[in-house]
Amino acid sequence: LRTNVCDPRQTSVMLRSPLFLSLCLSALLCAQASHVASLSLREETLAPSALRLRGGIALNPTKWFGGGDAEKKAAPKIIIAGAPASGKGTQCEFIVNSFGVVHISTGDALREQVKAGTELGKSAKEYMDKGALVPDDVIIGIVKDRLSAPDCQTKGWLLDGFPRTGVQAEAMQKAGIVADKFILLNVPDDILIERCVGRRSDPVTGKIYHLKFNPPPEDEEVQARLVHRSDDTEEAMVKRIEQYKKNVDAIKDYYKDITKEFDGVGDKMKLAAAIADFIK
């Protein structure tokens, strides 16, 4: 393109020329492509998410050009069940850390609704104030509302010990709450009882100790304030275990196609790895 750069009229015409703009754009794209081609895409030396174009623009070659985990995986929907002292709480922590799912217990969800003063929370509070059990339909409503929250939709969820009964499992099914993994921890009764009877909690720190397996610190002040729950006795545990077995037998059929049972005795890290493989 020849033009007299000293003539403002010719310069203005040139800058508005479609041909001139097209040539400029082509030159810019070629320069950028050349820079992209010079980047090393080897996974062992540089992760795709770390690549940058000029100006700091992120480059993810697997997203642009295919390959790798380009397709987003569905958020996990997990239910975990186990008797009291089966190690369920510990495994929940591992699952949350490994998969980033939202850990949900019905007790926490219920308290959140009551605190927020929602309609479901008000309904639940009426029963709680009377000392009565909150009906299944209210509990299901609270669970469904919690699972519909944005964090559960994007990250996935882990329902801890719910549903507990066949009625709740059926109500969840009707409400459209569908899990894709059901984890069942099995621990012999005598071990469950031993774990519970020796359990002590620190009301100040919230930590839970076991006199045999995880002793509290040799601190007189800490040991003096440790609490032994009234239902952490052998007599109470026998009743709790019997009730748990009835409940879990009633819900098994609803999840038989997505269930895997695990031995809850032994190395907790090996158990966590086995559960992680199942979830993957």
Side-chain angles (χ1 to χ4, degrees), residues 31 115 200 221 251:
K115 185 178 180 180
R200 301 290 186 273
E221 183 180 349
I251 66 174

Side-chain angles (χ1 to χ4, degrees), residues 76-82 88 92 95 147 157-164 169 172 177-184 251 255 258-260 278:
K77 299 174 182 178
I78 310 161
I79 297 174
I80 185 169
K88 184 161 55 68
C92 282
I95 293 170
L147 297 184
W157 44 262
L158 170 63
L159 267 179
D160 183 353
F162 190 85
R164 288 186 174 88
M172 282 181 61
I177 303 173
V178 181
D180 46 43
K181 300 290 181 182
F182 186 91
I183 298 163
L184 183 57
I251 66 174
Y255 304 105
I258 58 168
T259 295
K260 186 166 184 179
F278 172 59

Side-chain angles (χ1 to χ4, degrees), residues 79-143:
I79 297 174
I80 185 169
S86 62
K88 184 161 55 68
T90 299
Q91 292 307 318
C92 282
E93 291 181 11
F94 286 131
I95 293 170
V96 170
N97 290 334
S98 298
F99 298 94
V101 294
V102 180
H103 179 212
I104 299 170
S105 72
T106 52
D108 290 342
L110 191 153
R111 284 186 287 272
E112 287 174 6
Q113 293 275 353
V114 172
K115 185 178 180 180
T118 65
E119 289 303 315
L120 285 168
K122 291 176 182 177
S123 178
K125 191 173 186 300
E126 289 180 7
Y127 292 95
M128 294 166 66
D129 290 344
K130 297 174 185 176
L133 292 174
V134 180
D136 285 335
D137 61 334
V138 176
I139 293 294
I140 293 297
I142 289 174
V143 171

Side-chain angles (χ1 to χ4, degrees), residues 232-267:
D232 277 349
T233 63
E234 183 170 352
E235 296 77 15
M237 268 301 293
V238 169
K239 294 179 181 178
R240 291 168 69 189
I241 292 170
E242 288 178 355
Q243 187 60 53
Y244 162 76
K245 288 180 178 179
K246 291 178 182 177
N247 291 342
V248 80
D249 285 343
I251 66 174
K252 277 183 177 180
D253 284 346
Y254 290 92
Y255 304 105
K256 59 184 178 182
D257 294 333
I258 58 168
T259 295
K260 186 166 184 179
E261 300 189 22
F262 294 88
D263 183 356
V265 181
D267 190 295

